Amino acid sequence: MLNQTMRKLGEERSVIREIFEYGNLRKAQIGAENVFDFSLGNPSVPAPECVQDEAERLLREMPPQLLHGYTSAAGAPEVREKVAEYIRAAFGVPMSGSLVYMTCGAAASLTITLNALCESGDEFAVITPCFPEYKVFIERAGGAVVYVKTDARFHLDEAELRRAVGNKTKAVILNSPNNPTGAVYGAEEIRMLAALLTQKSNEKGEPIYLIVDEPYRELVYGEDVPYVMKYYDHTVVCYSFSKSLSLAGERIGYIAVNPACKGAEELFSAVCGAGRSLGYVCAPSLFQRVCAACLGKSSDLNMYSENRRLLYESLSDMGYECVLPEGAFYLFMKSPETDAKAFCERAKKYELLLVPSDSFGTEGYVRISYCVETRMIERALPAFQKLIKEYRN
Amino acid sequence: MLNQTMRKLGEERSVIREIFEYGNLRKAQIGAENVFDFSLGNPSVPAPECVQDEAERLLREMPPQLLHGYTSAAGAPEVREKVAEYIRAAFGVPMSGSLVYMTCGAAASLTITLNALCESGDEFAVITPCFPEYKVFIERAGGAVVYVKTDARFHLDEAELRRAVGNKTKAVILNSPNNPTGAVYGAEEIRMLAALLTQKSNEKGEPIYLIVDEPYRELVYGEDVPYVMKYYDHTVVCYSFSKSLSLAGERIGYIAVNPACKGAEELFSAVCGAGRSLGYVCAPSLFQRVCAACLGKSSDLNMYSENRRLLYESLSDMGYECVLPEGAFYLFMKSPETDAKAFCERAKKYELLLVPSDSFGTEGYVRISYCVETRMIERALPAFQKLIKEYRN
């Protein structure tokens, strides 16, 4: 009667969203200050001032019919040009505005790119642990997911990549800084991956694409995030302003196709066609312009940096096994029992909302989002302490 | 190598967008005041004051982390509740916030609803002339389009509907006020359609849905627009604030499922699942709240009303055959030659940008969008005059 795949997807919701909704309910029941919600990657730091200044300026100065009217499907030409200019200046890639497509955020960037590329029988290799919605997006586009394991530090494993990538592979999805592990893949790793993909593309006789999902690019704690287009021609960047400018709810990002990509214009056409068929008419017009004025800016990352230190040190001291995140705002922590779901259920008793790693394609870990108030972490530490005690008895 | 369907969709673009882009190019070449662009349904009247006031107030008063943060996937709970409250008060339907899903505009409302409903083999009956993107959206969702002709006044034709709707029909799409004809379907027609669908549903053994696409609901010139949910249980309303509040670029609208619909909650779950799989994380958060504060308001429609009169009377006087639009901001005019595309090409000589009706599923007409400055119509009238003279020689 209905599309049952969609009904099931809607009923399950994403595990993360499910916990987020549970958290909202629980906050209404016992007060927000008594729930320690580490579930969602909802930025806790305000947008930088340039966002509010530019939004207010545009509302005051630009004729509303223009400001709020349709832009071209790929975005306002001046916005696309500014994004290209920024990429040229910041990363030294000869980007052109004609290869920039403004989107309704990272999920739209990914679904549009996947739908542009995917033909029947295609496989998409995804580095795990990974954002769980990749699977949903890939399957809806008609592709099959192939998970690729990483090493003990959650960095790229060449042998695993070699096994996973083959003639059916249409693209590899790389998310750096990584959600949920916080790993940032360094230049050496990217070079290895590029060489591997070049070889595999030659064997296949057509390019294997590299889809780089990088909403966390600016959220790093000393690490350098290599710009992948400089290492591999067939790269498509899926970017979002959600995290860097704390605009997750406004749904604004972009797709940039590497000008060095063979058939870049055709790929860009396919991106336009996919956006059209999925109902994306244009990216929100006010925030297209706001973001164009705030390129290269980011929210104040000090709170995330402090939260990372506090959580990592405190939880390690208590005896939890944590991986020090190099970027993003997630701490990946080993579950004290094999079953991470059972651990998360137990954590709920102490009003700690954590996300089990099963949904990220890896067992035995939990993701702790530290894009929260530092005070909440301080209040939550005794709960973490009580929780780990249960495993000592 | 790429998805060729998507590539072709991207290269063709929609005919309307194509003309819009041509218009922009031409304006850059010869000056905006010399191009008479009647192609796009981009509102020419500013958003009502409540939009700017509420946007500025929210930017000033609401903590940016909350204002610009993710909302629940279906929308902020208080926004959904306000929309439901408005529907209850304005139309007398017992709508609940739990059946309202905030979207990124009308195209998103439609693609999400279609993907929620469509199973393999399903047909969707579309009343013609119609918005050309319906075909793109239906086919991407996996369905087949069945076009249903209307009568000479572009109103519903029972015999044609009876022929088109059968056991394979999953839903009928009704767009009222209609783009491109301006037709508003009256209570009698809706009653006829509801009775027909009830009978056909009984024969099929399961409900045939009625998808009501109504971004132009508030844009009428004296006509009453019946609220279809009151006439037929299995109704899903796809709404957008693009036209009523002149916010076409901001991508904001909603889906409302009739509470009387059998399995309304399951259908709503499928809507949530479809939104998720298409990459719609939530509707833009600032404009969710702005629209919730402006429900029932609309832009000043006087300019559209004056444009409608001016165009209809002037073009009729010149000898063009026009249909007086009852709603929306489009004038549907008979092409003086059988081939409407050839007529539109000829019109370009006089810098008149019109859309041929072929893309709306009907031959021999053109669509003239009168959501433009009245002064532009006045300046364009001599061009229309010269154009029709070509057909007199």
Side-chain angles (χ1 to χ4, degrees):
Chain A
M1 219 170 91
L2 305 170
N3 185 302
Q4 295 305 316
T5 313
M6 296 301 126
R7 189 180 59 74
K8 269 174 68 182
L9 273 180
E11 281 172 3
E12 296 165 5
R13 286 190 290 201
S14 87
V15 176
I16 300 168
R17 283 261 158 191
E18 190 69 53
I19 299 171
F20 171 67
E21 305 288 351
Y22 169 84
N24 284 341
L25 192 74
R26 203 68 191 125
K27 285 171 198 168
Q29 288 169 342
I30 62 167
E33 70 285 2
N34 298 313
V35 180
F36 311 121
D37 186 351
F38 294 98
S39 67
L40 202 63
N42 214 351
S44 55
V45 168
E49 269 179 29
C50 62
V51 165
Q52 175 142 351
D53 291 350
E54 184 64 8
E56 286 182 347
R57 191 189 70 76
L58 288 162
L59 285 166
R60 230 174 20 239
E61 295 177 11
M62 197 168 167
Q65 308 91 296
L66 282 181
L67 179 57
H68 304 304
Y70 291 117
T71 69
S72 292
E78 69 278 14
V79 169
R80 297 167 67 197
E81 196 37 64
K82 276 191 192 162
V83 171
E85 201 180 291
Y86 174 74
I87 293 175
R88 289 196 297 268
F91 310 116
V93 168
M95 183 54 61
S96 140
S98 65
L99 293 174
V100 172
Y101 181 99
M102 302 303 296
T103 67
C104 294
S109 298
L110 284 164
T111 50
I112 291 171
T113 302
L114 289 166
N115 279 273
L117 291 174
C118 189
E119 294 171 296
S120 159
D122 279 347
E123 290 178 358
F124 291 82
V126 173
I127 317 291
T128 59
C130 69
F131 182 51
E133 298 297 276
Y134 287 160
K135 182 172 185 287
V136 176
F137 300 158
I138 290 168
E139 290 180 351
R140 185 65 194 85
V145 189
V146 175
Y147 289 116
V148 188
K149 285 194 183 138
T150 43
D151 67 18
R153 289 176 48 250
F154 301 110
H155 276 261
L156 301 184
D157 182 322
E158 185 169 357
E160 291 287 344
L161 278 162
R162 256 184 212 291
R163 245 197 303 278
V165 176
N167 286 348
K168 286 186 173 175
T169 310
K170 179 53 71 72
V172 173
I173 302 184
L174 194 74
N175 173 218
S176 179
N178 184 268
N179 171 9
T181 66
V184 172
Y185 310 115
E188 272 315 299
E189 282 172 283
I190 302 294
R191 246 180 237 119
M192 175 276 287
L193 177 61
L196 187 152
L197 289 181
T198 303
Q199 184 206 323
K200 295 279 188 178
S201 295
N202 288 338
E203 286 167 21
K204 187 186 176 186
E206 51 179 68
I208 295 172
Y209 296 89
L210 185 50
I211 301 173
V212 190
D213 176 27
E214 44 182 44
Y216 300 100
R217 162 163 287 280
E218 290 77 12
L219 277 62
V220 283
Y221 310 98
E223 294 290 322
D224 201 49
V225 186
Y227 203 68
V228 178
M229 281 192 190
K230 286 161 78 176
Y231 297 78
Y232 188 64
D233 286 352
H234 301 288
T235 296
V236 180
V237 167
C238 291
Y239 185 80
S240 159
F241 296 96
S242 288
K243 317 291 177 170
S244 59
L245 296 179
S246 298
L247 294 177
E250 302 299 353
R251 313 313 304 141
I252 182 80
Y254 62 78
I255 296 167
V257 174
N258 195 348
C261 186
K262 198 177 140 194
E265 285 77 15
E266 277 166 37
L267 174 51
F268 193 81
S269 290
V271 163
C272 294
R276 187 181 161 194
S277 80
L278 299 173
Y280 291 102
V281 172
C282 64
S285 49
L286 169 65
F287 278 95
Q288 281 191 44
R289 295 179 173 99
V290 167
C291 289
C294 301
L295 288 161
K297 304 264 170 67
S298 67
S299 302
D300 179 0
L301 306 181
N302 286 323
M303 193 200 278
Y304 299 145
S305 181
E306 169 57 14
N307 290 355
R308 168 179 173 264
R309 189 203 56 77
L310 178 63
L311 259 182
Y312 178 76
E313 289 177 3
S314 310
L315 295 178
S316 300
D317 282 353
M318 290 178 201
Y320 289 102
E321 251 184 81
C322 303
V323 184
L324 181 66
E326 298 155 325
F329 42 43
Y330 306 107
L331 182 74
F332 212 53
M333 182 176 91
K334 204 159 186 180
S335 163
E337 61 183 303
T338 328
D339 183 348
K341 279 186 199 164
F343 173 63
C344 290
E345 275 308 309
R346 209 183 275 240
K348 273 187 186 169
K349 277 198 306 189
Y350 304 97
E351 309 299 345
L352 287 168
L353 305 185
L354 317 175
V355 182
S357 64
D358 305 68
S359 45
F360 301 106
T362 303
E363 287 180 2
Y365 285 80
V366 294
R367 187 189 79 170
I368 304 176
S369 292
Y370 56 83
C371 48
V372 296
E373 296 284 326
T374 309
R375 288 190 304 277
M376 189 191 96
I377 299 180
E378 288 161 355
R379 284 201 312 274
L381 289 177
F384 277 109
Q385 186 76 67
K386 284 180 213 155
L387 178 59
I388 201 162
K389 270 200 186 146
E390 288 203 17
Y391 293 90
R392 295 228 182 87
N393 297 338
Chain B
M1 219 171 90
L2 305 171
N3 185 301
Q4 295 305 317
T5 313
M6 295 302 125
R7 188 180 60 73
K8 270 174 66 181
L9 272 180
E11 280 172 2
E12 298 165 1
R13 286 190 290 201
S14 88
V15 176
I16 300 168
R17 283 261 157 191
E18 191 68 54
I19 300 171
F20 171 68
E21 305 288 351
Y22 169 85
N24 283 341
L25 191 74
R26 203 69 192 124
K27 285 172 198 169
Q29 288 169 341
I30 62 167
E33 70 286 2
N34 298 312
V35 181
F36 311 121
D37 187 349
F38 294 99
S39 68
L40 201 63
N42 214 351
S44 55
V45 168
E49 269 179 29
C50 61
V51 165
Q52 176 141 350
D53 291 350
E54 185 65 8
E56 287 183 345
R57 190 188 70 76
L58 288 163
L59 285 166
R60 231 174 20 238
E61 295 178 10
M62 198 168 166
Q65 308 91 296
L66 282 180
L67 178 57
H68 304 304
Y70 291 118
T71 68
S72 292
E78 68 278 13
V79 169
R80 297 166 67 197
E81 194 39 61
K82 275 190 193 162
V83 171
E85 200 179 292
Y86 174 73
I87 293 175
R88 288 196 298 268
F91 310 117
V93 168
M95 183 54 63
S96 140
S98 66
L99 293 174
V100 172
Y101 180 99
M102 301 304 296
T103 68
C104 294
S109 299
L110 283 165
T111 50
I112 292 171
T113 302
L114 289 166
N115 279 273
L117 290 175
C118 189
E119 295 171 293
S120 158
D122 279 346
E123 291 178 356
F124 290 82
V126 173
I127 317 292
T128 59
C130 68
F131 182 52
E133 297 298 273
Y134 286 158
K135 181 172 186 290
V136 176
F137 299 158
I138 290 168
E139 290 178 351
R140 185 63 193 85
V145 188
V146 174
Y147 289 115
V148 188
K149 285 194 183 139
T150 43
D151 66 19
R153 289 176 49 250
F154 301 110
H155 277 260
L156 301 184
D157 181 321
E158 185 169 356
E160 291 288 344
L161 278 162
R162 257 184 209 291
R163 246 196 303 278
V165 177
N167 285 347
K168 287 185 171 177
T169 311
K170 178 54 70 70
V172 174
I173 302 183
L174 195 73
N175 172 219
S176 178
N178 184 269
N179 170 9
T181 66
V184 172
Y185 310 115
E188 271 315 299
E189 284 172 282
I190 302 295
R191 245 178 239 122
M192 175 276 287
L193 177 60
L196 186 153
L197 289 181
T198 303
Q199 184 206 323
K200 295 278 188 179
S201 295
N202 288 339
E203 286 166 21
K204 187 186 177 189
E206 52 178 69
I208 296 171
Y209 296 89
L210 186 50
I211 300 173
V212 191
D213 176 26
E214 43 183 45
Y216 300 99
R217 161 164 286 282
E218 289 79 10
L219 278 63
V220 283
Y221 309 97
E223 293 289 322
D224 201 48
V225 187
Y227 204 68
V228 178
M229 281 192 190
K230 286 161 77 176
Y231 297 79
Y232 188 64
D233 286 353
H234 301 288
T235 296
V236 181
V237 167
C238 291
Y239 184 80
S240 159
F241 296 96
S242 289
K243 317 291 176 171
S244 59
L245 297 179
S246 297
L247 293 177
E250 302 298 355
R251 313 313 303 140
I252 183 78
Y254 62 78
I255 296 167
V257 175
N258 195 349
C261 187
K262 199 176 139 193
E265 285 78 14
E266 278 166 35
L267 174 51
F268 193 81
S269 290
V271 163
C272 294
R276 187 182 159 193
S277 80
L278 299 173
Y280 291 103
V281 172
C282 65
S285 49
L286 169 65
F287 279 95
Q288 281 191 44
R289 295 180 174 99
V290 167
C291 290
C294 301
L295 287 161
K297 304 263 170 67
S298 68
S299 302
D300 179 0
L301 306 180
N302 285 324
M303 193 200 278
Y304 299 144
S305 181
E306 169 56 14
N307 289 356
R308 167 179 172 264
R309 189 202 56 77
L310 178 63
L311 259 183
Y312 178 76
E313 288 178 5
S314 309
L315 295 179
S316 300
D317 282 353
M318 290 178 199
Y320 290 103
E321 250 182 81
C322 304
V323 183
L324 180 67
E326 298 155 324
F329 41 43
Y330 306 108
L331 182 74
F332 212 53
M333 184 177 89
K334 203 160 189 180
S335 163
E337 61 183 303
T338 326
D339 183 348
K341 280 186 198 164
F343 173 64
C344 289
E345 276 309 308
R346 208 183 275 241
K348 274 187 187 170
K349 277 199 305 188
Y350 304 97
E351 309 300 345
L352 286 169
L353 305 184
L354 317 176
V355 182
S357 64
D358 305 68
S359 44
F360 301 106
T362 302
E363 289 181 1
Y365 285 80
V366 295
R367 187 189 80 169
I368 304 176
S369 291
Y370 56 82
C371 48
V372 297
E373 296 284 326
T374 308
R375 288 190 305 276
M376 189 192 96
I377 298 180
E378 287 162 354
R379 285 201 312 275
L381 289 176
F384 276 110
Q385 185 76 66
K386 283 180 213 154
L387 178 59
I388 201 162
K389 270 202 184 142
E390 288 205 17
Y391 293 90
R392 295 233 179 83
N393 299 335

